[in-house]
Amino acid sequence: MITLNWDGMNGEIGALMARFGELPRHIAKKHLLAVVKRVGREGVPILKSNTPVGRTKRIKSTIVRGEFKQNVKRRGGALRRAATVQARYKGRNRDGFVTGTLGYKFGWESRKAIWLEYGTKTIAPREMVGKTMRTYRGPLASKLAAAMAVALEKAAKELESGMNPGTGYRRVT
């Protein structure tokens, strides 16, 4: 999980957040959300590689004369296909924060992921997300800083062009 807030951050990412803080919030939020999605998308293949494949399910309606029909229902790996990244802005404009979450889509696959991650009485814990975060933590910070620098330039160009003035913002000419 990635969290970027407007104050209290330090280092290179903190300096970039301070620069984003100088922009109008509607532009800064848009570009920060795009950065978090873009960087988090690179972690999805790592999460998929740490996720067990699963096996095909034998569903009665897929068996015809003792053989499987060529059918989508018999496919395994639904948990791997459910791996995704989400980026959201939480809070108010002046003191909110951007969060990025690497995980599984909501629903049945999310339940399966929780069972496999932490285990149950009969299922040993697999720690899929823990392994992914240990693997991806180092490259994530450097990629995040580089992507934020590129997004800051794009946001400045957008502000200069007057393309997205927002409400309450007037371009001075």
Side-chain angles (χ1 to χ4, degrees):
M1 185 164 157
I2 304 168
T3 304
L4 301 172
N5 56 13
W6 297 109
D7 53 347
M9 298 193 73
N10 52 15
E12 186 177 357
I13 293 176
L16 286 166
M17 282 301 293
R19 295 297 307 239
F20 272 106
E22 296 170 4
L23 296 170
R25 282 297 152 104
H26 68 284
I27 293 175
K29 286 188 327 188
K30 178 176 95 170
H31 286 279
L32 283 173
L33 285 169
V35 164
V36 170
K37 284 181 197 174
R38 195 174 305 121
V39 172
R41 201 175 308 134
E42 296 175 8
V44 172
I46 298 170
L47 180 61
K48 285 183 179 184
S49 70
N50 289 328
T51 303
V53 178
R55 59 182 179 265
T56 59
K57 308 292 186 252
R58 289 184 181 241
I59 301 170
K60 187 175 181 181
S61 65
T62 63
I63 299 174
V64 176
R65 292 183 301 275
E67 297 178 2
F68 275 127
K69 286 194 280 185
Q70 291 302 315
N71 189 316
V72 174
K73 292 181 184 176
R74 70 184 198 101
R75 232 175 14 177
L79 187 58
R80 281 188 175 205
R81 286 190 303 277
T84 187
V85 65
Q86 290 181 352
R88 291 192 175 143
Y89 188 84
K90 299 191 178 201
R92 298 177 296 183
N93 263 347
R94 65 182 147 180
D95 59 356
F97 53 94
V98 176
T99 61
T101 308
L102 180 65
Y104 300 93
K105 292 179 184 170
F106 180 76
W108 185 248
E109 303 307 323
S110 179
R111 286 185 178 185
K112 282 197 299 192
I114 291 170
W115 297 334
L116 289 173
E117 178 72 20
Y118 299 109
T120 62
K121 290 180 188 176
T122 57
I123 299 173
R126 306 270 175 96
E127 295 185 0
M128 306 167 299
V129 178
K131 288 178 191 174
T132 301
M133 292 311 294
R134 284 191 293 274
T135 304
Y136 192 51
R137 181 176 290 145
L140 175 68
S142 61
K143 289 178 182 181
L144 182 65
M148 283 177 71
V150 171
L152 184 62
E153 291 175 15
K154 288 181 181 179
K157 286 181 184 176
E158 181 178 339
L159 182 64
E160 294 245 341
S161 70
M163 176 175 59
N164 187 4
T167 59
Y169 173 75
R170 282 188 264 171
R171 185 172 178 212
V172 179
T173 57

